[in-house]
Amino acid sequence: MDENTYIENRINEQINFYEKKSKLNKKCYYISKLLEICFGAVIPVVSGFFVDNCWSSITVAILGVLIAVSASINGVFKFQEKWIYYRITIEQLKREMNLFLSKSGVYLDKDAPSNFNLFVENCEG
């Protein structure tokens, strides 16, 4: 496999894969946090203005459950941690590819075949 094929078929595909996963986890994280904030903000309104209404205590309880469920889902699936991990991986792959293509850093003083081998090892690692 030559350099261009490897970069196109492996590195760019990995960057695209991690990009999609990063965006999905970011979106899920923001949605879960937004729901927690909104449900939490509604509780004082419901409990303060609708004191005489029998549905207010049920509504407050349901909102509390929804906050707990949203926080638990975020905790189990670790959307924020995955989002950050995927972004870090993307940036590391891009950095390594840029160093290799510009023959900089660890690729500066080596011949072409060993540069490519080192590049593959670094990316796969």
Side-chain angles (χ1 to χ4, degrees):
M1 179 180 293
D2 69 332
E3 298 172 6
N4 292 332
T5 305
Y6 179 76
I7 289 173
E8 194 60 40
N9 292 341
R10 181 72 175 147
I11 302 302
N12 288 337
E13 283 183 13
Q14 286 296 304
I15 289 172
N16 291 336
F17 170 79
Y18 284 118
E19 188 75 41
K20 289 177 189 172
K21 290 296 210 174
S22 174
K23 287 179 182 178
L24 174 66
N25 280 279
K26 180 180 180 180
K27 184 184 292 186
C28 290
Y29 173 72
Y30 280 149
I31 288 171
S32 70
K33 285 300 179 184
L34 184 62
L35 289 174
E36 289 176 41
I37 292 168
C38 291
F39 294 149
V42 171
I43 288 176
V45 174
V46 171
S47 62
F49 288 116
F50 304 107
V51 177
D52 296 335
N53 192 338
C54 66
W55 288 100
S56 67
S57 59
I58 294 171
T59 304
V60 168
I62 290 171
L63 290 170
V65 167
L66 291 173
I67 291 170
V69 168
S70 178
S72 297
I73 288 172
N74 196 21
V76 168
F77 291 107
K78 300 184 185 311
F79 296 126
Q80 183 181 24
E81 290 88 351
K82 287 180 183 177
W83 161 37
I84 292 169
Y85 170 75
Y86 292 144
R87 285 304 318 162
I88 289 170
T89 304
I90 291 166
E91 295 307 319
Q92 287 174 336
L93 285 171
K94 286 180 179 179
R95 178 186 178 276
E96 201 66 39
M97 185 172 60
N98 288 334
L99 286 173
F100 173 72
L101 292 174
S102 66
K103 306 295 184 221
S104 303
V106 295
Y107 307 106
L108 183 63
D109 294 328
K110 299 200 172 30
D111 60 349
S114 66
N115 264 353
F116 180 63
N117 292 339
L118 180 62
F119 173 63
V120 171
E121 288 175 17
N122 288 341
C123 289
E124 296 300 325

